[in-house]
Amino acid sequence: MSESIKATRATVAIGALTVDAFMLPDGSYRMSLSQAANSVGKEAQGISNFLRSKALKRLLEEAGSTSNFLPESLTSPILDTAYSPDLFIVELSDEGNKGQTRIRGVHLEIVGLYWQWECLQGNKQAFALATALTLESLERRFDNAFGVVRSEQERNDATTARIKSLESDLANLGEGFAIYDDIRRERDFFESLLKQNGLSGAEKSGKG
């Protein structure tokens, strides 16, 4: 995307976090590369690594032009499978008379995938944030079903409290949070040894 594209900036609260939200002329949204990473305790390089990861590349390759989740611009067959952040400009102030700055932004779908990817890497901050946002989304739908009305401030306060509570619980768990990753690594290690010794799946299970 050309950097001549101008975006509109707004402020969004996510629990105790405050992030810049950007809307492009076509109505689509972006979050800056750095804030997407900072939100889960990482530097911009963290999400840059994800954008070059085999996980995202495979998803874009497999999706082709049939994905209903990823934006069409990310799954067009005429594009290669590498995802590049959009470069656009925004005014430095609401008045628009203090100059402009360039922003590297990513689709919200990419932000969501990146945060979940960080969860899988054992990132406790990402886990707390993603879980709290899932609960907020569910609560909104349940409230709607039962006619319960809450202000945005009430919802944000609840999300803040949930994030803090989860972060505290995860800190108390310590390394216990990574137990599943340890089990998976051990499984993969032993499966690799079995394959190196020519053992099939049937032989591993004692059949044949």
Short mmCIF file of all heavy atoms in Angstrom, two decimals, residues 162-197:
data_model
loop_
_atom_site.label_atom_id
_atom_site.label_comp_id
_atom_site.label_asym_id
_atom_site.label_seq_id
_atom_site.Cartn_x
_atom_site.Cartn_y
_atom_site.Cartn_z
N ARG A 162 -9.92 -8.43 35.07
CA ARG A 162 -9.68 -9.80 34.65
C ARG A 162 -8.23 -10.00 34.22
O ARG A 162 -7.62 -11.03 34.53
CB ARG A 162 -10.63 -10.17 33.51
CG ARG A 162 -12.05 -10.42 33.95
CD ARG A 162 -13.02 -10.41 32.80
NE ARG A 162 -14.36 -10.78 33.21
CZ ARG A 162 -15.46 -10.53 32.52
NH1 ARG A 162 -15.38 -9.88 31.36
NH2 ARG A 162 -16.64 -10.90 32.96
N ILE A 163 -7.70 -9.04 33.50
CA ILE A 163 -6.31 -9.15 33.05
C ILE A 163 -5.36 -9.19 34.25
O ILE A 163 -4.46 -10.02 34.33
CB ILE A 163 -5.95 -7.98 32.11
CG1 ILE A 163 -6.68 -8.13 30.77
CG2 ILE A 163 -4.43 -7.93 31.87
CD1 ILE A 163 -6.51 -6.95 29.84
N LYS A 164 -5.60 -8.28 35.21
CA LYS A 164 -4.74 -8.24 36.40
C LYS A 164 -4.84 -9.53 37.19
O LYS A 164 -3.84 -10.06 37.68
CB LYS A 164 -5.14 -7.04 37.27
CG LYS A 164 -4.75 -5.70 36.68
CD LYS A 164 -5.14 -4.56 37.63
CE LYS A 164 -4.73 -3.20 37.07
NZ LYS A 164 -5.13 -2.09 37.97
N SER A 165 -6.07 -10.04 37.33
CA SER A 165 -6.27 -11.28 38.08
C SER A 165 -5.58 -12.46 37.40
O SER A 165 -4.91 -13.27 38.05
CB SER A 165 -7.76 -11.55 38.23
OG SER A 165 -8.00 -12.76 38.93
N LEU A 166 -5.73 -12.55 36.08
CA LEU A 166 -5.09 -13.63 35.34
C LEU A 166 -3.58 -13.55 35.40
O LEU A 166 -2.89 -14.56 35.58
CB LEU A 166 -5.56 -13.61 33.88
CG LEU A 166 -6.86 -14.34 33.56
CD1 LEU A 166 -7.32 -13.99 32.16
CD2 LEU A 166 -6.68 -15.85 33.71
N GLU A 167 -3.05 -12.34 35.26
CA GLU A 167 -1.60 -12.17 35.32
C GLU A 167 -1.07 -12.58 36.69
O GLU A 167 0.00 -13.21 36.79
CB GLU A 167 -1.22 -10.72 35.01
CG GLU A 167 -1.39 -10.35 33.55
CD GLU A 167 -1.05 -8.90 33.25
OE1 GLU A 167 -1.08 -8.07 34.19
OE2 GLU A 167 -0.76 -8.58 32.08
N SER A 168 -1.82 -12.27 37.75
CA SER A 168 -1.41 -12.67 39.10
C SER A 168 -1.45 -14.18 39.26
O SER A 168 -0.51 -14.79 39.79
CB SER A 168 -2.34 -12.02 40.13
OG SER A 168 -2.03 -12.46 41.43
N ASP A 169 -2.53 -14.81 38.76
CA ASP A 169 -2.64 -16.26 38.86
C ASP A 169 -1.54 -16.96 38.07
O ASP A 169 -0.96 -17.95 38.53
CB ASP A 169 -4.01 -16.72 38.32
CG ASP A 169 -5.16 -16.31 39.23
OD1 ASP A 169 -4.89 -15.95 40.40
OD2 ASP A 169 -6.31 -16.34 38.77
N LEU A 170 -1.24 -16.45 36.88
CA LEU A 170 -0.21 -17.06 36.05
C LEU A 170 1.17 -16.90 36.67
O LEU A 170 2.03 -17.78 36.55
CB LEU A 170 -0.24 -16.46 34.64
CG LEU A 170 -1.47 -16.80 33.81
CD1 LEU A 170 -1.48 -15.99 32.52
CD2 LEU A 170 -1.53 -18.29 33.50
N ALA A 171 1.38 -15.75 37.33
CA ALA A 171 2.66 -15.54 38.01
C ALA A 171 2.84 -16.54 39.15
O ALA A 171 3.94 -17.05 39.38
CB ALA A 171 2.74 -14.11 38.55
N ASN A 172 1.74 -16.85 39.84
CA ASN A 172 1.79 -17.83 40.92
C ASN A 172 2.06 -19.24 40.40
O ASN A 172 2.67 -20.06 41.07
CB ASN A 172 0.48 -17.81 41.72
CG ASN A 172 0.31 -16.53 42.52
OD1 ASN A 172 1.29 -15.89 42.89
ND2 ASN A 172 -0.93 -16.16 42.78
N LEU A 173 1.56 -19.51 39.19
CA LEU A 173 1.80 -20.82 38.58
C LEU A 173 3.27 -21.02 38.22
O LEU A 173 3.78 -22.12 38.22
CB LEU A 173 0.96 -20.98 37.31
CG LEU A 173 -0.51 -21.35 37.49
CD1 LEU A 173 -1.21 -21.34 36.14
CD2 LEU A 173 -0.66 -22.71 38.15
N GLY A 174 3.94 -19.90 37.93
CA GLY A 174 5.35 -19.97 37.56
C GLY A 174 5.57 -20.83 36.34
O GLY A 174 4.85 -20.73 35.34
N GLU A 175 6.52 -21.74 36.41
CA GLU A 175 6.86 -22.58 35.27
C GLU A 175 5.80 -23.61 34.98
O GLU A 175 5.82 -24.26 33.93
CB GLU A 175 8.21 -23.28 35.51
CG GLU A 175 9.39 -22.33 35.56
CD GLU A 175 9.51 -21.50 34.30
OE1 GLU A 175 9.36 -22.06 33.20
OE2 GLU A 175 9.73 -20.28 34.42
N GLY A 176 4.83 -23.77 35.89
CA GLY A 176 3.77 -24.74 35.65
C GLY A 176 2.97 -24.43 34.41
O GLY A 176 2.38 -25.32 33.80
N PHE A 177 2.95 -23.17 34.01
CA PHE A 177 2.21 -22.76 32.83
C PHE A 177 2.80 -23.38 31.57
O PHE A 177 2.11 -23.54 30.58
CB PHE A 177 2.24 -21.23 32.72
CG PHE A 177 1.43 -20.69 31.58
CD1 PHE A 177 0.06 -20.84 31.53
CD2 PHE A 177 2.05 -20.01 30.53
CE1 PHE A 177 -0.69 -20.33 30.49
CE2 PHE A 177 1.30 -19.50 29.47
CZ PHE A 177 -0.06 -19.66 29.46
N ALA A 178 4.07 -23.74 31.63
CA ALA A 178 4.76 -24.25 30.44
C ALA A 178 4.79 -25.78 30.40
O ALA A 178 5.45 -26.36 29.56
CB ALA A 178 6.19 -23.72 30.39
N ILE A 179 4.06 -26.44 31.33
CA ILE A 179 4.11 -27.90 31.39
C ILE A 179 3.69 -28.53 30.07
O ILE A 179 4.32 -29.47 29.58
CB ILE A 179 3.21 -28.41 32.53
CG1 ILE A 179 3.87 -28.12 33.89
CG2 ILE A 179 2.96 -29.91 32.39
CD1 ILE A 179 3.04 -28.54 35.08
N TYR A 180 2.60 -28.01 29.47
CA TYR A 180 2.13 -28.61 28.22
C TYR A 180 3.20 -28.51 27.14
O TYR A 180 3.40 -29.45 26.37
CB TYR A 180 0.85 -27.92 27.74
CG TYR A 180 0.38 -28.45 26.42
CD1 TYR A 180 -0.22 -29.71 26.32
CD2 TYR A 180 0.58 -27.73 25.25
CE1 TYR A 180 -0.62 -30.22 25.10
CE2 TYR A 180 0.16 -28.23 24.03
CZ TYR A 180 -0.44 -29.48 23.97
OH TYR A 180 -0.82 -29.98 22.75
N ASP A 181 3.90 -27.37 27.08
CA ASP A 181 4.95 -27.22 26.08
C ASP A 181 6.05 -28.25 26.29
O ASP A 181 6.60 -28.79 25.35
CB ASP A 181 5.56 -25.81 26.15
CG ASP A 181 4.63 -24.76 25.56
OD1 ASP A 181 3.76 -25.15 24.75
OD2 ASP A 181 4.77 -23.58 25.90
N ASP A 182 6.38 -28.52 27.57
CA ASP A 182 7.40 -29.51 27.88
C ASP A 182 6.97 -30.90 27.41
O ASP A 182 7.76 -31.66 26.84
CB ASP A 182 7.69 -29.54 29.38
CG ASP A 182 8.36 -28.26 29.87
OD1 ASP A 182 8.96 -27.57 29.03
OD2 ASP A 182 8.27 -27.96 31.07
N ILE A 183 5.71 -31.23 27.67
CA ILE A 183 5.19 -32.54 27.26
C ILE A 183 5.22 -32.67 25.74
O ILE A 183 5.62 -33.71 25.20
CB ILE A 183 3.75 -32.73 27.78
CG1 ILE A 183 3.74 -32.83 29.31
CG2 ILE A 183 3.11 -33.98 27.17
CD1 ILE A 183 2.35 -32.84 29.91
N ARG A 184 4.83 -31.60 25.06
CA ARG A 184 4.82 -31.64 23.59
C ARG A 184 6.22 -31.79 23.04
O ARG A 184 6.45 -32.54 22.08
CB ARG A 184 4.18 -30.36 23.06
CG ARG A 184 4.04 -30.33 21.54
CD ARG A 184 3.22 -29.14 21.10
NE ARG A 184 3.81 -27.89 21.58
CZ ARG A 184 3.21 -26.71 21.46
NH1 ARG A 184 2.03 -26.61 20.91
NH2 ARG A 184 3.81 -25.62 21.92
N ARG A 185 7.19 -31.08 23.63
CA ARG A 185 8.57 -31.20 23.16
C ARG A 185 9.10 -32.61 23.37
O ARG A 185 9.79 -33.17 22.51
CB ARG A 185 9.45 -30.17 23.87
CG ARG A 185 9.35 -28.76 23.29
CD ARG A 185 10.45 -27.88 23.82
NE ARG A 185 10.28 -27.59 25.24
CZ ARG A 185 9.61 -26.53 25.70
NH1 ARG A 185 9.05 -25.69 24.87
NH2 ARG A 185 9.50 -26.33 27.00
N GLU A 186 8.77 -33.21 24.53
CA GLU A 186 9.22 -34.57 24.79
C GLU A 186 8.58 -35.54 23.80
O GLU A 186 9.25 -36.45 23.30
CB GLU A 186 8.86 -34.96 26.23
CG GLU A 186 9.70 -34.24 27.28
CD GLU A 186 9.32 -34.67 28.69
OE1 GLU A 186 8.50 -35.61 28.83
OE2 GLU A 186 9.85 -34.08 29.64
N ARG A 187 7.27 -35.34 23.53
CA ARG A 187 6.59 -36.21 22.56
C ARG A 187 7.26 -36.12 21.20
O ARG A 187 7.54 -37.14 20.55
CB ARG A 187 5.14 -35.79 22.46
CG ARG A 187 4.32 -36.61 21.46
CD ARG A 187 3.11 -35.83 20.98
NE ARG A 187 3.51 -34.64 20.24
CZ ARG A 187 2.70 -33.64 19.95
NH1 ARG A 187 1.44 -33.67 20.36
NH2 ARG A 187 3.14 -32.58 19.26
N ASP A 188 7.52 -34.88 20.74
CA ASP A 188 8.14 -34.69 19.43
C ASP A 188 9.53 -35.31 19.39
O ASP A 188 9.94 -35.87 18.37
CB ASP A 188 8.22 -33.20 19.10
CG ASP A 188 6.85 -32.58 18.87
OD1 ASP A 188 5.88 -33.34 18.67
OD2 ASP A 188 6.75 -31.34 18.89
N PHE A 189 10.26 -35.20 20.51
CA PHE A 189 11.62 -35.76 20.56
C PHE A 189 11.59 -37.28 20.41
O PHE A 189 12.34 -37.86 19.62
CB PHE A 189 12.28 -35.38 21.88
CG PHE A 189 13.61 -36.05 22.11
CD1 PHE A 189 14.73 -35.68 21.37
CD2 PHE A 189 13.74 -37.06 23.06
CE1 PHE A 189 15.96 -36.30 21.58
CE2 PHE A 189 14.95 -37.68 23.27
CZ PHE A 189 16.07 -37.30 22.53
N PHE A 190 10.69 -37.92 21.16
CA PHE A 190 10.64 -39.38 21.10
C PHE A 190 10.07 -39.87 19.77
O PHE A 190 10.49 -40.91 19.26
CB PHE A 190 9.82 -39.93 22.28
CG PHE A 190 10.57 -39.89 23.58
CD1 PHE A 190 10.17 -39.05 24.59
CD2 PHE A 190 11.69 -40.68 23.77
CE1 PHE A 190 10.85 -38.99 25.79
CE2 PHE A 190 12.40 -40.63 24.97
CZ PHE A 190 11.98 -39.78 25.99
N GLU A 191 9.14 -39.13 19.18
CA GLU A 191 8.64 -39.50 17.87
C GLU A 191 9.75 -39.42 16.84
O GLU A 191 9.85 -40.25 15.94
CB GLU A 191 7.47 -38.60 17.47
CG GLU A 191 6.16 -38.94 18.16
CD GLU A 191 5.00 -38.15 17.61
OE1 GLU A 191 5.24 -37.22 16.80
OE2 GLU A 191 3.85 -38.45 17.97
N SER A 192 10.61 -38.40 16.98
CA SER A 192 11.73 -38.26 16.07
C SER A 192 12.70 -39.43 16.20
O SER A 192 13.19 -39.97 15.21
CB SER A 192 12.47 -36.93 16.36
OG SER A 192 13.62 -36.81 15.55
N LEU A 193 12.96 -39.85 17.45
CA LEU A 193 13.85 -41.00 17.66
C LEU A 193 13.27 -42.26 17.04
O LEU A 193 13.98 -43.06 16.43
CB LEU A 193 14.06 -41.21 19.16
CG LEU A 193 15.00 -40.23 19.89
CD1 LEU A 193 15.10 -40.61 21.36
CD2 LEU A 193 16.39 -40.27 19.26
N LEU A 194 11.95 -42.45 17.22
CA LEU A 194 11.30 -43.63 16.66
C LEU A 194 11.41 -43.66 15.14
O LEU A 194 11.69 -44.70 14.54
CB LEU A 194 9.84 -43.68 17.09
CG LEU A 194 9.58 -43.99 18.57
CD1 LEU A 194 8.13 -43.74 18.92
CD2 LEU A 194 9.96 -45.45 18.88
N LYS A 195 11.21 -42.51 14.51
CA LYS A 195 11.31 -42.43 13.06
C LYS A 195 12.73 -42.70 12.58
O LYS A 195 12.95 -43.37 11.56
CB LYS A 195 10.84 -41.07 12.57
CG LYS A 195 9.34 -40.86 12.70
CD LYS A 195 8.94 -39.47 12.24
CE LYS A 195 7.44 -39.26 12.38
NZ LYS A 195 7.02 -37.89 11.98
N GLN A 196 13.71 -42.18 13.34
CA GLN A 196 15.11 -42.40 12.97
C GLN A 196 15.48 -43.88 13.04
O GLN A 196 16.36 -44.34 12.32
CB GLN A 196 16.02 -41.60 13.91
CG GLN A 196 15.96 -40.09 13.69
CD GLN A 196 16.78 -39.34 14.73
OE1 GLN A 196 17.68 -39.89 15.34
NE2 GLN A 196 16.43 -38.07 14.92
N ASN A 197 14.75 -44.62 13.90
CA ASN A 197 15.03 -46.05 14.03
C ASN A 197 14.09 -46.90 13.18
O ASN A 197 14.01 -48.11 13.37
CB ASN A 197 14.91 -46.46 15.50
CG ASN A 197 16.11 -45.99 16.32
OD1 ASN A 197 17.17 -46.62 16.33
ND2 ASN A 197 15.94 -44.85 17.01
#
